[in-house]
Amino acid sequence: MRLDRRSLLKLAGLSPLAGCAPRLVWAAEQVADEKADYMVRIGASPFELAPGHIVSTTLYNGQFPGPLIRFKEGQRTVVDIYNDTDVPELVHWHGQMIPSDVDGASEEGTPFVPARGMRRVSFVPKPAGFRFYHTHVFAGSDLGRGTYTGQAGPVYIEPRHDPGDYDREVFLVLKEFAPSFSRGGDMAMDMLAPGKPLKKLEEIGAKADREAKGTPKGYEVGYELFSINGKMLGAGEPIRVKQGERVLFHVLNASATEIRSLALPGHVFRVVSLDGNPVPTPAEVPVLWLGTAERVSAIVAMNHPGLFVLGDLSDDDRANGMGIVVEYSGRKGKPQWVKPQPFRWDYTRFGTAPAATVEPDETIEILVVKHNAAADGFNLWTLNGEAFSMKTMRPRYDVQEGRRYRLKLRNASDDIHPVHLHRHSFELKRIGGKATAGVIKDVIMLGGFQEVEFDFVADNAGRTLFHCHQQLHMDFGFMALFDYV
Ligand SMILES: [Cu+2]
C-alpha cells in the first residue's frame, strides 16, 4: 500500500493519547515530499544459519540481524515500515524515550503496521547509546510470531560527543532459531549475585504450587539452532583482530526467552555501558551475562594472539552454534575454547556507593507469582494477583508527570525475569539486598525468589508498558501499564 492523501490525513489526525506530550504533526504535502531516512521491510524468508541449516522465519530487510541503524541523537528521523506479511506487525524502538504512538506497543496505543501495508513513523531519537528494534506482537502459542522470529536489529544513536577509548566497534547479536515447546526444563541458573532466595517469597511460591496441585509444569521453549550475527559458530566470517587493538563489542541478547553468556578465552571484558548507558564504574569481568533484551558494551584489549571461540558457556548451545571465532592476523589453526571459572554477574560492581539517597515520591510494590500451567498448559503470571489483559488493560498504575517512582519487584517464582520498562530508563537502587547507585538500564534480571528496586522519573508522558521480556512470560500475564494522569 502506498500512503495516499487520505491515509496521510488520517495519520496526521490521530488523536493523541490522554496526557501525551505535544506530538509531531506535519502536513500531508510535507510527508509526501519528504524522503524517509530509513526503510524497514518485514517479510517471510528462508534464512541460512550454516550450510544445511536453513530456517524459515520473518526478517527485517531479508537479513538477520536487521540492518544496523545509526541515528543521530536529537535529530528527527523518518522511518518507513513496510509489512509484506499477512499479519499486522509492530516495530518497537527499544530503549528510546519517544512518544507512545511510535514506540511500537499496541498496549500503549501504537497503531499496527497493517498486513501488506505500511506505516511511516517519525521521532527524535534519544538518548545516545546502544538500543535496538524488534517486533512487539503477541505470540502466545505461535512460535512463528513475535520475538521467536528474526525480527530484531541493533540501533546505535550517535552521541554528540564520543570520548571513545577504542579502535573500532563490533556489534554482536545473539539469537536462537528453530524453537519448540517442551514441558519443564526450567532455567534454574545460579549466575546472579548478590542475594539469596528470600524465605517469604519461597513460601508464597510454594503456596501457589500447592494450589496448582497435580498440574504438571507449564510449557517452556527450547531451540535447535544458535547463532551470533545470524551465523552458527564456524559458519560465518571470523572477527579479525590485530594484536594491541582495542575492540568495543556491543552485545545484544535478541533471544525471545533465554539468558545468554559470553566468554573469550585469554581475554577480559571491560564493561563500559549497560543497555547503552555508560556505567559509573567500568570494570573488567571474565564473563558477560545478558538477560533477554539486555545489552552490554565492553572493550576487549586484544593482547593474547591466537584463534579463539567467543562463545556461550553452555556447551550444548555453543556446540549448536552460539559462538563466533576471533582470529588474530596471521594466526591459523583450530579455535580454542577454555571453560572459564564460575562467575556470578553482579550489576552493582558497575555502580557507585549510594550517596545521600534521593527518596522517591512514591513506591509501587509488585509481587510476581507463577501459576503452573494455568493458561491452557502455559504458566500464568500474575502481578499483585492480576494477569495482564488487553480487555481491561490492567494491571495499571497511575503516575504523575515529574514525580519519581520506585518500583519494588518481588519475585515469588524460581525463574529469572528480565523485566523491561518502555520509554523510560531507570536507576538501579537495590538488588539481592545490596544497595547501589548510578547504574541506568531499561532491562534488569530479577533473580528467583529475590527482590529488585529501581527508580524512574515520570518524564515522558503517555502510556508506558512494563513487562518481562521473556516472550512466554509477557504473553501469559507478566505485563502492566503505567498511565500518566
Ligand atoms: Cu519473566
Side-chain angles (χ1 to χ4, degrees), residues 187 381 415-419 468-470 473-474 478:
M187 45 140 185
W381 297 89
D415 296 66
I416 296 173
H417 300 290
V419 293
C468 179
H469 219 286
Q470 218 275 24
H473 298 180
M474 71 181 279
F478 199 143

Side-chain angles (χ1 to χ4, degrees), residues 10-267:
K10 221 165 73 189
L11 253 178
L14 280 174
S15 57
L17 293 162
C20 228
R23 57 189 294 279
L24 283 162
V25 178
W26 57 93
E29 290 75 14
Q30 270 175 297
V31 180
D33 291 345
E34 197 175 16
K35 199 177 157 293
D37 299 298
Y38 297 94
M39 189 202 48
V40 176
R41 201 172 260 284
I42 306 164
S45 176
F47 183 65
E48 188 180 272
L49 291 155
H53 291 293
I54 298 167
V55 294
S56 171
T57 186
T58 307
L59 301 171
Y60 289 148
N61 297 16
Q63 64 178 80
F64 188 86
L68 167 64
I69 298 182
R70 281 186 180 268
F71 291 124
K72 289 207 168 55
E73 187 184 26
Q75 189 177 311
R76 192 172 81 91
T77 192
V78 176
V79 184
D80 281 348
I81 307 167
Y82 289 86
N83 180 5
D84 296 340
T85 73
D86 295 323
V87 283
E89 267 296 343
L90 285 162
V91 175
H92 168 49
W93 303 98
H94 187 119
Q96 292 201 47
M97 285 68 171
I98 55 177
S100 301
D101 62 342
V102 289
D103 185 50
S106 59
E107 297 83 357
E108 293 175 344
T110 312
F112 281 92
V113 185
R116 303 281 164 195
M118 72 87 68
R119 184 173 182 243
R120 167 169 284 196
V121 294
S122 178
F123 54 87
V124 179
K126 63 174 178 180
F130 184 22
R131 318 286 162 210
F132 80 117
Y133 62 120
H134 65 83
T135 176
H136 211 288
V137 298
F138 175 84
S141 60
D142 186 350
L143 294 176
R145 284 284 269 160
T147 55
Y148 301 115
T149 68
Q151 293 174 78
V155 165
Y156 195 82
I157 304 177
E158 310 276 2
R160 291 196 180 89
H161 171 71
D162 181 3
D165 185 23
Y166 56 86
D167 298 309
R168 64 192 175 97
E169 294 171 294
V170 173
F171 287 81
L172 299 176
V173 180
L174 319 184
K175 179 75 180 173
E176 309 82 2
F177 289 93
S180 62
F181 286 119
S182 63
R183 280 225 189 254
D186 294 74
M187 45 140 185
M189 279 206 254
D190 204 14
M191 34 58 72
L192 284 177
K196 288 197 175 57
L198 299 176
K199 197 138 204 94
K200 182 92 200 163
L201 291 170
E202 287 180 325
E203 284 166 11
I204 298 168
K207 184 166 168 279
D209 280 352
R210 280 196 303 277
E211 283 163 5
K213 204 169 181 247
T215 349
K217 282 182 186 272
Y219 299 115
E220 300 286 347
V221 175
Y223 304 88
E224 212 181 297
L225 305 172
F226 297 74
S227 71
I228 294 184
N229 291 350
K231 289 290 171 197
M232 292 169 70
L233 174 59
E237 289 294 306
I239 301 168
R240 297 194 174 88
V241 301
K242 291 191 192 74
Q243 188 168 1
E245 222 178 5
R246 291 167 61 81
V247 178
L248 173 58
F249 287 101
H250 292 297
V251 187
L252 159 65
N253 178 359
S255 177
T257 56
E258 302 237 303
I259 293 167
R260 298 254 63 102
S261 56
L262 214 52
L264 180 62
H267 299 77

Side-chain angles (χ1 to χ4, degrees), residues 440-457:
I440 311 292
K441 292 182 63 51
D442 54 59
V443 182
I444 195 152
M445 285 185 278
L446 167 59
F449 302 116
Q450 290 196 18
E451 295 177 346
V452 67
E453 291 175 40
F454 55 77
D455 285 9
F456 72 96
V457 176

